[in-house]
């Protein structure tokens, strides 16, 4: 036996196990992508310019292209936490950008149904724990990263053109005095639900996208969990809907 054959025999001997030879595959292993990993990969390649901060009082993400083919604009608007999503950890507040899951297993299908019916999907959320200026703050990065994941999950489902509006906390302390784009307390209050500031900003942004149709208030609504019920912490979502002249329901009503 030649040295070459002896070497080959030794290799096979090392690979034997209980009388069987384990074959080494030359084919690349299959990718084991999960929906979460696909979303994370797409989010990492997204254009950061999609997020805008107005003064220090408003965070928003507006789709580049919006298509409304009906005579009027039907709006399906939602609160975020406790309505569209909840924490995976079970805590009251998220522990990070990845600590979220859908409110229940009906959310995605219902949103797709509304989207395919011609509704514009909008999120209005109070974010009292988020400081938007400067954009390097940990709370701002965590919030926008989480919303990027949420919006991308909607896109994977087939839901595009999602508007997002967040009312952040006004910066305070000595460092805030040096911020050139610090908004007044009055502006911050106007953007926080139940005040209709975020809704009014949305209407302005529709016009900026050359959507001139009136809102179809008869077929538009706002969904939120702060409805003034016995165990609700506030009724700010209910009052926001009234101030925006929108019909109101809770997630328990819609996602059943």
């Amino acid at each position: 036996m030649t040295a070459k054959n002896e070497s080959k025999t030794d290799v096979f001997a090392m690979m034997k196990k209980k009388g069987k030879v384990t074959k080494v595959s030359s084919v690349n292993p299959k990718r084991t992508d999960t929906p979460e990993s696909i979303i994370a990969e797409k989010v990492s390649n997204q254009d950061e310019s999609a997020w805008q901060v107005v003064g220090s009082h408003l965070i928003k993400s507006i789709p580049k292209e919006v298509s409304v083919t009906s005579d009027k604009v039907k709006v399906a608007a939602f609160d975020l936490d406790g309505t569209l999503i909840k924490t995976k950890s079970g805590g009251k507040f998220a522990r990070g950008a990845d600590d979220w899951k859908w409110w229940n297993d009906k959310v995605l299908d219902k949103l797709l149904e509304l989207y395919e019916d011609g509704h514009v999907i909008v999120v209005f959320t109070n974010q009292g724990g988020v400081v938007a200026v400067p954009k390097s703050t940990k709370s701002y990065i965590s919030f926008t990263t989480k919303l990027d994941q949420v919006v991308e999950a909607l896109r994977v489902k087939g839901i595009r053109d999602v508007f997002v509006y967040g009312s952040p906390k006004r910066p305070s302390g000595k460092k805030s005095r040096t911020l050139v784009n610090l908004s007044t307390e009055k502006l911050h209050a106007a953007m926080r639900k139940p005040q209709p500031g975020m809704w009014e900003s949305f209407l302005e942004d529709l016009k900026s996208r050359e959507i001139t149709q009136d809102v179809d208030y008869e077929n538009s609504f706002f969904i939120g969990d702060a409805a003034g019920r016995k165990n609700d912490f506030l009724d700010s979502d209910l009052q926001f809907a009234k101030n925006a002249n929108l019909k109101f329901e809770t997630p328990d009503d819609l996602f059943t």
Side-chain angles (χ1 to χ4, degrees), residues 56-59 125 127-128 130-132 166-170 188 192:
S56 62
H57 63 275
L58 181 64
I59 305 168
T125 174
Q127 292 293 320
V130 175
V131 175
S167 170
K169 177 183 178 181
R170 187 174 189 266
H188 273 270
R192 189 166 184 81

Side-chain angles (χ1 to χ4, degrees), residues 13-252:
M14 292 172 63
M15 295 169 60
K16 285 183 179 180
K17 185 178 182 181
K18 296 183 180 180
K20 295 182 180 180
V21 175
T22 302
K23 295 182 179 180
V24 179
S25 174
S26 60
V27 180
N28 292 331
K30 293 182 179 179
R31 292 187 63 177
T32 56
D33 289 335
T34 63
E36 291 78 10
S37 66
I38 294 171
I39 290 169
E41 182 178 349
K42 290 184 177 181
V43 166
S44 67
N45 295 323
Q46 280 185 354
D47 182 3
E48 293 182 359
S49 64
W51 286 103
Q52 303 172 39
V53 176
V54 182
S56 62
H57 63 275
L58 181 64
I59 305 168
K60 63 181 182 178
S61 176
I62 307 170
K64 293 181 179 179
E65 296 181 5
V66 183
S67 177
V68 177
T69 57
S70 55
D71 294 336
K72 290 186 176 182
V73 182
K74 294 189 294 185
V75 179
F78 300 86
D79 177 40
L80 180 65
D81 302 298
T83 297
L84 289 180
I85 64 173
K86 58 185 177 182
T87 62
K88 284 192 295 188
S89 63
K92 184 177 180 181
F93 301 106
R95 297 176 180 175
D98 299 323
D99 186 15
W100 71 274
K101 62 181 180 179
W102 296 113
W103 189 76
N104 69 13
D105 59 2
K106 304 290 195 306
V107 172
L108 275 177
D109 288 338
K110 189 62 180 181
L111 290 178
L112 181 60
E113 177 187 328
L114 291 166
Y115 180 76
E116 291 180 339
D117 188 47
H119 285 79
V120 176
I121 307 298
V122 191
V123 176
F124 297 113
T125 174
N126 285 348
Q127 292 293 320
V130 175
V131 175
V133 289
K135 287 186 175 182
S136 58
T137 64
K138 182 178 179 180
S139 59
Y140 173 80
I141 293 171
S142 180
F143 171 70
T144 53
T145 299
K146 177 169 67 176
L147 264 296
D148 279 340
Q149 293 177 13
V150 170
V151 171
E152 185 57 35
L154 295 175
R155 287 189 182 126
V156 169
K157 185 70 174 179
I159 304 165
R160 302 178 299 279
D161 311 333
V162 179
F163 290 77
V164 180
Y165 295 84
S167 170
K169 177 183 178 181
R170 187 174 189 266
S172 59
K174 293 181 179 179
K175 291 184 178 180
S176 67
R177 299 171 188 172
T178 63
L179 297 173
V180 295
N181 53 345
L182 180 64
S183 300
T184 64
E185 292 183 4
K186 184 177 180 180
L187 268 176
H188 273 270
M191 287 297 148
R192 189 166 184 81
K193 293 180 296 183
Q195 298 305 316
M198 288 191 286
W199 171 254
E200 292 167 355
S201 294
F202 164 67
L203 296 180
E204 292 173 2
D205 290 332
L206 283 180
K207 292 180 181 178
S208 73
R209 292 295 187 269
E210 299 183 353
I211 297 174
T212 58
Q213 298 99 312
D214 293 332
V215 172
D216 183 357
Y217 284 97
E218 183 64 28
N219 293 294
S220 297
F221 54 84
F222 177 68
I223 308 297
D225 63 317
R229 297 166 296 182
K230 183 178 179 180
N231 295 321
D232 291 345
F233 60 99
L234 286 171
D235 66 347
S236 53
D237 287 332
L238 172 62
Q239 296 304 322
F240 173 78
K242 289 181 178 180
N243 289 333
N245 199 29
L246 295 169
K247 295 179 180 179
F248 177 77
E249 289 186 350
T250 66
D252 307 84

